[in-house]
């Protein structure tokens, strides 16, 4: 006898979990995600995997095995729908097609709204078109094109929902927004990706909220990946720095520094084992001038080369031939709370670790639990005196300012 849960049971459990942890807050979104089947859009996955809130179903990889197309995880789709707030009658552009998210959007803008989904990869659009038609969403327009240019023939859009990791905001997205429109975009700034809601304010865009997210990287005219500089390259024991937004480091000097004795400073700031500290990382990326992300394999950590084995990297301050990275240590034997601190290598390690720890303390005092950061997106070439106060990150098309309003 088959005792596998039915798709209906899995769907109900998925929505329950996403409501209970606060991801889904809107009744219409709960209703649509509780009604629309996911398994037709992920036929390659077991139903339990298609409904696992945390699981993305990878549908295509590049020659190096990197995922380049997927049906995003239910949690990501749920918070992006909450961020986007699609309303009946709206004209929506989705950039990056999997079929599933377009089906949800189509339900939420029905009966009079329109959804167009664009993907750069004809294999992806072929698949999405077929699956959408089979599931009864033949009204969704599926177009093969580079989404960086939007789709002027179907603009203006009330909502542009980008479902691929974007390193910048191309001008077409802003130009093709209808009055009162919004862009939801997984934007990578200083090596950190956040799904940001952007709305026009005067001559620029401002954020109204953001969520931590991970997405496959954008291809085509806007392709602009992070760079990895290896500091230790023994096979299996690699240690590296991920660099973004044109940042450079003195790799030779840092390789030598890594072999020098380690310095440490502790902050007195503690966090729970399950507590997310992604806003601390965003604060450090805002506050520190020389910012990178230190990555290492578990074997490199076990060998004692570095104390962290994060594939995505931990916040790191780089000053010439010195680096200092964020770390934690348990404060009791139950391993439920940890103190934040910094480890450093290189001739200026004392100053660099102290600086990093100072910024951890500033975050704790001024911003922890507060409203978070604000992103202002101005076009490239905007003079400094027309930008708000904050960390300015220069991109090919834009100048992005990250500022922190602080706790009320
Ligand atoms: C995470 S998938 C999209 C998931 C989808 N929205 C869903 O229903 O879950 C990201 C897609 O973005 C596409 N993509 C990458 N660069 C693009 C570009 N410049 N324009 C349009 N699509 C792009 C990839 O081919 C991939 O299929």
């Amino acid at each position: 006898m088959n005792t596998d849960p039915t798709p209906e049971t899995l769907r109900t459990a998925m929505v329950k979990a996403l409501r209970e942890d606060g991801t889904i807050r809107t009744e219409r979104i709960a209703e649509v995600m509780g009604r629309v089947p996911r398994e037709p859009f992920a036929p390659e996955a077991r139903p339990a995997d298609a409904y696992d809130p945390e699981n993305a179903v990878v549908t295509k990889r590049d020659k190096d095995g990197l995922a380049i197309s997927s049906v995003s995880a239910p949690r990501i789709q749920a918070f992006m729908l909450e961020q986007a707030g699609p309303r009946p009658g709206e004209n929506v552009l989705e950039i990056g097609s999997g079929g599933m998210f377009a089906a949800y959007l189509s339900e939420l803008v029905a009966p009079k709204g329109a959804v167009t989904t664009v993907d750069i990869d004809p294999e992806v659009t072929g698949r999405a078109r077929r699956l959408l038609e089979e599931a009864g969403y033949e009204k969704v327009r599926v177009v093969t094109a580079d989404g960086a240019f939007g789709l002027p023939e179907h603009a203006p859009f009330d909502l542009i929902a980008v479902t691929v990791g974007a390193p910048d905001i191309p001008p077409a997205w802003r130009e093709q927004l209808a009055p009162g429109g919004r862009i939801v975009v997984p934007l990578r700034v200083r090596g950190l990706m956040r799904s940001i809601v952007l709305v026009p304010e005067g001559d620029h865009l401002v954020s109204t909220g953001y969520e931590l997210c991970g997405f496959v990287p954008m291809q085509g005219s806007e392709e602009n990946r992070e760079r990895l500089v290896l500091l230790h390259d023994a096979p299996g024991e690699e240690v590296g720095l991920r660099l973004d937004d044109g940042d450079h480091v003195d790799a030779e000097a840092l390789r030598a520094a890594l072999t020098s004795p380690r310095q440490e400073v502790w902050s007195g700031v503690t966090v729970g084992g399950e507590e997310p500290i992604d806003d601390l990382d965003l604060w450090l990326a805002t506050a520190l001038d020389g910012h990178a992300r230190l990555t290492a394999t578990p074997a490199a950590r076990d060998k004692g080369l570095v104390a962290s084995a994060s594939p995505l990297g931990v916040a790191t301050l780089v000053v010439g031939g010195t680096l200092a990275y964020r770390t934690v240590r348990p404060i009791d034997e139950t391993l439920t709370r940890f103190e934040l601190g910094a480890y450093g290598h290189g001739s200026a390690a004392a100053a660099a670790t102290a600086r990093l720890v100072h910024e951890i303390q500033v975050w704790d005092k001024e911003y922890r639990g507060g409203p978070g950061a604000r992103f202002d997106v101005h076009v490239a070439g905007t003079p400094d005196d027309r930008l708000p106060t904050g960390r300015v990150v220069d991109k090919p098309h834009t100048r992005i300012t990250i500022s922190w309003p602080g706790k009320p």
Side-chain angles (χ1 to χ4, degrees):
M1 197 177 79
N2 184 359
T3 54
D4 286 347
T6 63
E8 290 73 27
T9 308
L10 292 165
R11 201 152 56 240
T12 305
M14 173 190 81
V15 171
K16 184 168 180 282
L18 293 172
R19 286 184 92 136
E20 278 175 5
D21 71 8
T23 306
I24 297 182
R25 299 181 303 276
T26 306
E27 209 45 55
R28 284 180 58 240
I29 294 175
E31 189 276 315
V32 165
M33 290 192 76
R35 175 166 50 82
V36 178
R38 292 183 72 80
E39 64 281 7
F41 295 100
E44 47 286 270
R46 291 185 318 128
D49 293 335
Y51 287 101
D52 175 347
E54 314 302 333
N55 187 53
V57 176
V58 175
T59 51
K60 191 166 179 179
R61 295 185 184 273
D62 70 6
K63 59 180 179 8
D64 302 320
L66 183 78
I68 53 168
S69 191
S70 62
V71 177
S72 300
R75 176 179 314 288
I76 292 203
Q77 296 189 326
F79 74 61
M80 283 188 111
L81 289 176
E82 287 285 349
Q83 289 186 306
R87 291 184 285 261
E90 288 194 324
N91 185 27
V92 179
L93 176 65
E94 180 196 35
I95 296 176
S97 313
M100 184 73 259
F101 197 63
Y104 288 152
L105 289 168
S106 165
E107 292 279 350
L108 289 163
V109 301
K112 294 211 175 117
V115 176
T116 306
T117 180
V118 55
D119 201 290
I120 198 163
D121 185 334
E123 257 179 52
V124 175
T125 46
R127 176 187 180 281
R129 190 176 293 114
R130 178 170 53 80
L131 298 180
L132 281 162
E133 275 175 16
E134 284 170 6
Y137 295 95
E138 49 285 299
K139 268 177 63 191
V140 174
R141 221 182 264 125
V142 184
V143 179
T144 307
D146 185 341
F149 302 105
L151 269 189
E153 58 274 42
H154 299 299
F157 299 104
D158 301 297
L159 167 64
I160 298 180
V162 185
T163 63
V164 60
D168 198 356
I169 306 292
W173 297 352
R174 203 183 46 248
E175 289 159 10
Q176 293 176 25
L177 264 194
R182 61 258 179 235
I183 304 173
V184 179
V185 54
L187 184 65
R188 201 185 75 226
V189 185
R190 298 209 105 192
L192 302 177
M193 192 176 285
R194 299 291 183 268
S195 174
I196 306 181
V197 186
L198 294 169
V199 298
E201 187 177 285
D203 62 351
H204 69 290
L205 298 166
V206 296
S207 66
T208 58
Y210 60 89
E211 299 273 355
L212 178 69
C213 68
F215 268 90
V216 300
M218 196 143 181
Q219 306 165 45
S221 61
E222 288 301 308
E223 178 162 335
N224 180 2
R225 308 236 178 134
E226 281 179 277
R227 284 163 302 123
L228 178 68
V229 174
L230 283 180
L231 304 184
H232 185 82
D233 57 8
E237 293 171 2
E238 290 87 355
V239 177
L241 283 175
R242 293 173 81 128
L243 299 173
D244 199 6
D245 299 321
D247 287 336
H248 288 281
V249 293
D250 182 344
E252 274 315 307
L254 291 170
R255 271 182 209 124
L258 201 60
T259 62
S260 70
R262 184 170 88 184
Q263 302 227 10
E264 60 187 76
V265 177
W266 297 96
S267 66
V269 177
T270 65
V271 290
E274 301 291 312
E275 192 180 333
I277 49 170
D278 37 281
D279 250 19
L280 167 61
D281 281 354
L282 190 54
W283 165 250
L284 293 176
T286 310
L288 300 173
D289 281 341
H291 175 264
R293 314 265 311 159
L294 183 82
T295 70
T297 61
R301 180 199 52 200
D302 296 346
K303 214 173 168 191
L305 295 170
V306 287
S308 161
S310 162
L312 291 175
V314 292
T316 302
L317 167 63
V318 180
V319 188
T322 292
L323 62 87
Y325 58 95
R326 173 176 71 61
T327 189
V328 290
R329 66 177 176 190
I331 57 166
D332 59 25
E333 276 161 19
T334 62
L335 300 185
T336 50
R337 276 204 90 71
F338 298 83
E339 181 180 9
L340 293 161
Y343 286 142
H345 296 268
S347 57
T353 46
R355 176 72 212 283
L356 189 52
V357 160
H358 170 72
E359 294 302 345
I360 291 171
Q361 292 162 335
V362 170
W363 166 76
D364 182 54
K365 191 159 171 272
E366 309 283 341
Y367 306 115
R368 188 176 189 173
R374 167 184 158 123
F375 299 82
D376 285 76
V377 182
H378 287 79
V379 295
T382 303
D384 286 349
D385 61 10
R386 294 205 20 231
L387 300 180
T389 307
R391 163 73 51 188
V392 179
V393 182
D394 281 306
K395 302 275 191 179
H397 302 295
T398 58
R399 307 195 75 192
I400 298 178
T401 313
I402 317 173
S403 54
W404 288 74
K407 293 183 205 173

